């Protein structure tokens, strides 16, 4: 895996690339024994022993562990590409925030990124007071109604890249949502994910925040086919719910993207842990992007935008300052990892099932 961190746009950023632990991980997987060596394990029963093992595995009904049955991993449009994670500072000046994000996207693309991920709530301060003020009518199609998405559409088309547009407050009638827009290399809006799990927490003496005071929860999981593969989208608190990631994996996702703004209480404890868990459990890539930390803001983000590989390895990350991370994604690794750990063939459909309600109801 190749990864790099650039910071020419943000001269004060200090970035950290963690060592790739693949060499240690690979050492625990021994070559598969040949048929002859397996038979030697059952000298008295020979191949009948193999048949009994196969029969036992079949009785576990792994294909029934996902309802409907999991889709096969689709062939991606390309095997390798660079992703850019833009960890941005956010101010109370919306015009400045949009211009700043535009420059970061352009820099990431100039460094070779074919996919760019922005942070959660990058055009507005993160507060219940700010959400209604900075909210945009995305369905109006850009322009004055949604200058943030107008910029994303223009830049994605001009640069020929895919953009996972972090998230912005969205207004629909009298409702507000925390919404991520995905723009294709043609500048068209390919998908829109409204945060499903709202951030309502109360840790005494540490942090209390209730998104539900102003925001409405989304109702639809979002997975989208792009020029850089099939991507499942979640926003921040969504990453805590493994069922959503499992549904995306069962729908054939190559990559999960989570713009997020974990805080100074849960960030140090859970941010990297959850990313690695989602990647490891589902054997796919996970990318996250946080706002840069502003200790003077009403809500202080943890930072540490990261790319995780399908073995749960940290491929690239940064600290809390502004930064642009450029890292390589190699989808050929997915099948290798799934062959080494054939989890999809070992699930116990006779004991448990994950039901994808949306897919089931669409049949």
């Amino acid at each position: 895996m190749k990864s790099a961190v650039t910071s020419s746009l943000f001269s004060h950023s200090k970035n950290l690339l963690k060592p790739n632990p693949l060499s240690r991980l690979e050492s625990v997987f021994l070559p598969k024994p040949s048929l002859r060596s397996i038979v030697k394990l059952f000298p008295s029963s020979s191949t009948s022993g193999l048949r009994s093992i196969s029969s036992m595995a079949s009785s576990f009904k792994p294909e029934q562990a996902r309802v409907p049955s999991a889709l096969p991993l689709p062939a991606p449009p390309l095997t390798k590409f660079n992703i850019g994670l833009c960890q941005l500072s956010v101010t109370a000046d919306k015009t400045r925030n949009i211009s700043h994000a535009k420059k970061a996207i352009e820099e990431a693309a100039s460094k070779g990124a074919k996919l760019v991920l922005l942070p959660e709530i990058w055009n507005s301060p993160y507060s219940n007071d700010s959400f209604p003020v900075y909210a945009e009518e995305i369905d109006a199609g850009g322009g004055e109604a949604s200058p943030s998405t107008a910029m994303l559409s223009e830049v994605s088309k001009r640069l020929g890249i895919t953009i996972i547009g972090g998230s912005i407050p969205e207004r629909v009638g009298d409702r507000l949502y925390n919404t991520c827009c995905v723009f294709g290399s043609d500048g068209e809006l390919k998908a829109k994910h409204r945060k499903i799990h709202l951030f309502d927490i109360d840790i005494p003496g540490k942090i209390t925040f209730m998104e539900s005071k102003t925001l409405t929860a989304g109702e639809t999981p979002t997975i989208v086919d792009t020029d850089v593969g099939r991507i499942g989208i979640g926003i921040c608190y969504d990453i805590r719910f493994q069922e959503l990631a499992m549904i995306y994996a069962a729908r054939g996702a190559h990559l999960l993207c989570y713009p997020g703004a974990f805080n100074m209480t849960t960030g140090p404890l859970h941010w990297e842990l959850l990313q690695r868990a989602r990647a490891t459990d589902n054997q796919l890539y996970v990318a996250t992007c946080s706002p840069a930390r502003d200790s003077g803001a009403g809500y202080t983000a943890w930072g540490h935008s990261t790319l995780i590989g399908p073995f749960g390895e940290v491929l690239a990350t940064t600290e809390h300052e502004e930064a642009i991370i450029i890292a390589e994604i190699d989808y050929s690794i997915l099948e290798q990892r799934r062959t080494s750990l054939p989890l999809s063939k070992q699930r116990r459909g006779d004991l448990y099932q994950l039901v994808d309600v949306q897919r089931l109801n669409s049949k």
Side-chain angles (χ1 to χ4, degrees):
M1 292 290 179
K2 299 177 181 178
S3 59
V5 176
T6 71
S7 58
S8 58
L9 177 63
F10 310 113
S11 59
H12 298 293
S13 63
K14 296 179 181 179
N15 307 316
L16 171 66
L17 285 181
K18 293 191 176 182
N20 188 332
L22 278 179
S23 59
R24 297 194 299 272
L25 289 166
E26 289 172 343
S27 66
V28 304
F29 288 93
L30 301 177
K32 290 187 175 181
S34 66
L35 177 62
R36 180 176 298 174
S37 64
I38 293 176
V39 171
K40 288 180 180 178
L41 297 175
F42 305 94
S44 60
S45 58
S46 187
T47 56
S48 63
L50 295 178
R51 286 194 295 268
S52 65
I53 291 176
S54 176
S55 176
M56 181 174 64
S58 177
S59 69
F60 292 160
K61 299 179 172 57
E63 72 284 351
Q64 294 182 21
R66 299 290 181 265
V67 180
S69 297
L71 300 175
L73 189 69
L78 72 175
T79 302
K80 293 182 180 181
F81 66 93
N82 287 338
I83 185 174
L85 310 178
C86 299
Q87 184 165 291
L88 306 174
S89 64
V90 178
T91 71
D93 184 341
K94 184 175 181 179
T95 300
R96 175 268 180 199
N97 293 337
I98 294 173
S99 175
H100 196 57
K102 180 180 178 180
K103 291 177 182 178
I105 295 169
E106 291 171 339
E107 173 148 347
S110 73
K111 299 297 183 181
K114 298 301 292 181
L115 172 66
V116 173
L117 176 60
L118 295 182
E120 180 184 23
I121 307 293
W122 56 268
N123 72 344
S124 161
Y126 189 87
S127 74
N128 280 316
D129 291 338
S130 297
F131 296 153
V133 178
Y134 291 75
E136 301 182 7
E137 297 179 4
I138 296 172
D139 291 340
E144 293 183 3
S146 185
S148 299
T149 60
M151 180 275 288
L152 296 176
S153 174
E154 185 276 324
V155 173
S156 62
K157 182 176 182 178
R158 173 164 53 86
L159 300 178
I161 61 174
T162 299
I163 297 177
I164 310 295
S167 77
I168 64 173
E170 178 192 14
R171 184 184 301 280
V172 181
D174 60 353
R175 294 186 175 185
L176 297 176
Y177 297 92
N178 186 341
T179 301
C180 174
C181 294
V182 180
F183 286 90
S185 56
D186 57 0
E188 295 297 316
L189 179 64
K190 298 184 70 68
K192 187 168 65 173
H193 177 78
R194 291 169 175 160
K195 189 173 186 177
I196 293 175
H197 305 93
L198 295 183
F199 179 57
D200 286 3
I201 69 166
D202 182 11
I203 303 176
K206 296 292 185 179
I207 181 172
T208 299
F209 200 100
M210 299 289 169
E211 277 188 330
S212 61
K213 286 184 176 180
T214 55
L215 301 179
T216 299
E219 298 181 348
T220 307
T222 306
I223 191 164
V224 55
D225 287 315
T226 74
D227 290 344
V228 291
R230 184 169 294 177
I231 302 175
I233 308 294
I235 299 175
C236 199
Y237 205 55
D238 285 339
I239 200 172
R240 289 190 176 275
F241 299 86
Q242 66 268 37
E243 297 88 349
L244 181 62
M246 291 162 68
I247 284 174
Y248 289 152
R251 293 185 185 186
H254 302 100
L255 165 68
L256 305 184
C257 288
Y258 294 95
F262 268 50
N263 55 76
M264 298 298 292
T265 299
T266 60
L269 292 171
H270 300 154
W271 181 231
E272 182 180 300
L273 174 69
L274 288 166
Q275 296 174 61
R276 297 183 68 188
R278 298 295 84 84
T280 304
D281 290 347
N282 297 289
Q283 300 179 305
L284 40 63
Y285 283 90
V286 169
T288 63
C289 191
S290 168
R293 189 181 306 170
D294 179 359
S295 299
Y299 181 95
T300 305
W302 171 240
H304 296 265
S305 303
T306 302
L307 176 67
I308 306 291
F311 255 20
E313 69 275 30
V314 177
L315 299 177
T317 190
T318 187
E319 292 290 337
H320 62 270
E321 302 94 344
E322 286 200 317
I324 296 176
I325 302 173
I326 305 296
E328 183 182 80
I329 288 178
D330 182 357
Y331 286 146
S332 68
I333 299 295
L334 297 179
E335 288 294 352
Q336 295 177 27
R337 302 310 175 207
R338 295 179 184 195
T339 299
S340 298
L341 281 173
L343 303 183
S344 65
K345 299 177 182 178
Q346 298 170 329
R347 294 192 175 101
R348 294 292 300 269
D350 59 326
L351 299 179
Y352 50 77
Q353 295 179 324
L354 175 74
V355 179
D356 186 336
V357 176
Q358 187 181 45
R359 278 186 64 207
L360 190 64
N361 289 343
S362 67
K363 288 196 170 186

